[in-house]
Amino acid sequence: MDEEARRHMLVEVHAERERLLPLRAEATRTTIAMVRQNSEQPPELVPYLNLAYILGVRRTQGEDALIAFALSLANWAVATVDEVARYSGRSAEQVVDQYETDIMAARAESPEP
């Protein structure tokens, strides 16, 4: 990416972040509620429960709230990986690699239709 394209992208990201900032508190509450509701559920149900929750956010709160929620979830995911890395004495890259390896192994054991 050339310098001008990078600068344009950063301006756009900053403007979008500022626009969505008023939705941050609600997105955080939504993230906490979804994690609490869907944690400790059977692993095969979690993707369906998460998707139902996401669709519910989009339907009841709209696209901007959905984007803010996605940003909140992404921030939580990164923070969680960093925390697991710190407590396990591994790098974040090693933690992500382990999750990726586990996912690949699970797919190999039971391929999706």
Side-chain angles (χ1 to χ4, degrees):
M1 176 181 302
D2 69 17
E3 187 64 29
E4 182 60 30
R6 183 175 180 274
R7 187 177 7 264
H8 178 72
M9 181 189 69
L10 290 174
V11 167
E12 182 180 357
V13 166
H14 181 73
E16 189 67 4
R17 181 188 179 280
E18 290 300 312
R19 190 179 73 75
L20 295 171
L21 203 53
L23 302 175
R24 180 173 58 184
E26 181 60 30
T28 299
R29 285 190 293 273
T30 302
T31 299
I32 292 167
M34 188 197 76
V35 170
R36 281 193 174 139
Q37 177 180 312
N38 296 346
S39 293
E40 299 182 357
Q41 298 297 323
E44 64 276 6
L45 290 181
V46 171
Y48 297 99
L49 296 170
N50 288 341
L51 182 56
Y53 207 95
I54 290 165
L55 292 172
V57 169
R58 184 177 69 182
R59 192 170 297 119
T60 62
Q61 299 178 35
E63 294 292 325
D64 283 352
L66 182 62
I67 293 169
F69 177 44
L71 179 57
S72 176
L73 285 169
N75 292 341
W76 274 58
V78 170
T80 300
V81 167
D82 286 344
E83 190 168 318
V84 168
R86 186 172 58 252
Y87 286 115
S88 67
R90 297 179 288 166
S91 70
E93 185 70 25
Q94 289 170 320
V95 172
V96 171
D97 287 348
Q98 182 62 55
Y99 280 114
E100 184 178 25
T101 300
D102 292 348
I103 290 168
M104 290 167 51
R107 282 188 186 143
E109 290 176 14
S110 60
E112 293 181 19

